[in-house]
Amino acid sequence: MRFSPGLLALSAATLVLTQQNPLVLVGGDPTNPNGIYQFIPPVLNNITNGTTITFRFTGAPGNHSVTQSTFLDPCNPLAGGFDSGWVNIPTNNASTSPEWNLTITNATGPIWFFCKQLVPAIHCVSGMVGAINPPQSGNTFSAFQSNAQNFQGQPGVRDQDTFDGLSQEEGSLVGAEASASAGPGPSGSGVTFYTALASATAQATAIGPGINANPSSGGGSSGAVVVTANLLMAALGVILGGSLCLV
């Protein structure tokens, strides 16, 4: 079989474009081989400075984040790391899935990330982690995922001013080794973005003290707001203007 020079040139251009603009799906569905708690693909190799990675929130229903962590502490946010915030996708979502663009600013070492959602199961412990340029030996992605699955206790950030001492901070769009210029978007069909929300419980009073929510209908910069969740009661779920997904 022979191909015209024009077709070969187009194929080569498409290959380069794919390599320069990788796409990661955030959240699967029950029909996926690894279930709903996953990034697809979980690993990106040979990523260079200036590469923009698009994270597409496709899990429906689903409530996920893309949050930077470290190899040794995979299920806790890295101080000063990037964080997309939670993106809640309802069951009946039929619009274009929200996307979040993250640009690599320092590709000299591995970049680790996870989903910080805690209910109904801890997504990170369930294996929902990812890596950019992980080593092929030593601190590999498989070792990172194993660290996450063997994580002990409840993920969170300790803060003396919170209700029960356990909280999760909402990180910044600008992180270590990578940054974003805007939050996820667009919104539609009930999609909600949470810029200061613990465990996606999305209410201030329904569960009790110590929970603050700041949902928005569009992408935006994440604040350095500390929020507290009562993890035991959060699993009960709440209703906020409709169905709130906790997966």
Side-chain angles (χ1 to χ4, degrees), residues 100-233:
W100 189 57
N101 294 321
L102 184 71
T103 300
I104 304 304
T105 57
N106 184 357
T108 59
I111 301 172
W112 312 99
F113 58 91
F114 74 111
C115 175
K116 66 180 182 179
Q117 179 60 266
L118 302 179
V119 292
I122 301 172
H123 292 198
C124 180
V125 176
S126 299
M128 193 168 180
V129 294
I132 301 167
N133 294 337
Q136 299 303 306
S137 62
N139 292 348
T140 63
F141 170 75
S142 294
F144 174 63
Q145 190 171 50
S146 179
N147 286 348
Q149 292 170 331
N150 292 308
F151 187 89
Q152 299 296 314
Q154 291 284 2
V157 178
R158 295 291 173 180
D159 190 283
Q160 297 299 318
D161 298 327
T162 58
F163 177 71
D164 61 359
L166 181 63
S167 68
Q168 278 198 327
E169 290 183 350
E170 184 70 14
S172 171
L173 294 176
V174 179
E177 293 85 42
S179 65
S181 60
S187 61
S189 297
V191 174
T192 309
F193 308 104
Y194 295 94
T195 59
L197 183 62
S199 302
T201 49
Q203 86 291 349
T205 59
I207 289 180
I211 297 178
N212 296 299
N214 183 19
S216 66
S217 58
S221 176
S222 301
V225 182
V226 178
V227 288
T228 304
N230 184 323
L231 298 175
L232 294 178
M233 299 190 70

